[in-house]
Amino acid sequence: MNTNEFFMKKAIACSCDNIKNDGGPFGAVIVKDGVIIAEGSNRVTANNDPTAHAEVVAIRNAAKYLNNFNLSGCEIYTSCEPCPMCLSAIYWARIDKIYYANTKIDAKNIGFDDSFIYDEIALPIPERKIPIIQMMRNEAIQAFNLWEDKADKTEY
């Protein structure tokens, strides 16, 4: 078994073990320099947290472990193709590479269908199902101006 297969087997084991612990069938591990530094399993229903997807949980654990929000130099192995939220989190975390096992079609076939989110993102804002209303930009822009002028900010 090669290294990639070893790490994917760990992610898959997280997904299987999680089902026995009242979680969803998703697992992920984050690897840096050939070592697993974090694991995550889907805890959405167990924790009543819609953001507690395996990849997001693993990212949170990795960031805590490294004491850094920037996970450059890391790779993620996930038991399923990341949903739009997880994919965004992976990009924001600056993870170098994604390995996945099951596809989003496999997930859809067992009731985890994210296609409506992909469809919604592609629509112009006025055509989306959830109303999105911009307001108070003139007041809110003050925070952006303060950020722009801040000399000692941490860029990300």
Side-chain angles (χ1 to χ4, degrees), residues 2-137:
N2 70 34
T3 307
N4 289 341
E5 289 171 348
F6 174 80
F7 294 136
M8 185 57 76
K9 282 183 182 275
K10 291 289 192 181
I12 293 167
C14 286
S15 69
C16 292
D17 292 344
N18 196 48
I19 295 167
K20 300 170 196 164
N21 293 307
D22 298 323
F26 304 93
V29 298
I30 295 180
V31 175
K32 184 173 177 97
D33 299 324
V35 176
I36 295 174
I37 62 164
E39 294 182 358
S41 297
N42 181 290
R43 304 304 294 164
V44 170
T45 57
N47 295 354
N48 292 316
D49 179 354
T51 68
H53 289 203
E55 297 92 336
V56 172
V57 172
I59 288 168
R60 289 173 182 162
N61 291 337
K64 185 175 182 179
Y65 176 82
L66 294 174
N67 195 33
N68 198 329
F69 61 86
N70 184 333
L71 302 183
S72 295
C74 294
E75 299 175 339
I76 189 166
Y77 293 77
T78 179
S79 65
C80 188
E81 184 176 356
C83 75
M85 177 183 69
C86 293
L87 186 59
S88 296
I90 290 165
Y91 274 95
W92 277 111
R94 296 182 180 86
I95 291 174
D96 292 353
K97 194 177 284 186
I98 303 166
Y99 297 89
Y100 70 94
N102 293 318
T103 68
K104 62 185 175 184
I105 302 302
D106 296 328
K108 179 179 180 177
N109 289 339
I110 63 162
F112 295 91
D113 185 4
D114 296 324
S115 58
F116 77 98
I117 297 172
Y118 287 105
D119 294 343
E120 282 287 298
I121 290 170
L123 290 173
I125 289 175
E127 295 176 27
R128 295 181 184 166
K129 288 183 179 36
I130 297 175
I132 301 174
I133 300 135
Q134 183 182 20
M135 57 185 287
M136 300 184 69
R137 180 181 177 273

Side-chain angles (χ1 to χ4, degrees), residues 136-150:
M136 300 184 69
R137 180 181 177 273
N138 289 337
E139 290 81 357
I141 201 75
Q142 293 173 28
F144 283 10
N145 292 337
L146 288 170
W147 175 257
E148 190 173 42
D149 295 340
K150 185 174 173 56

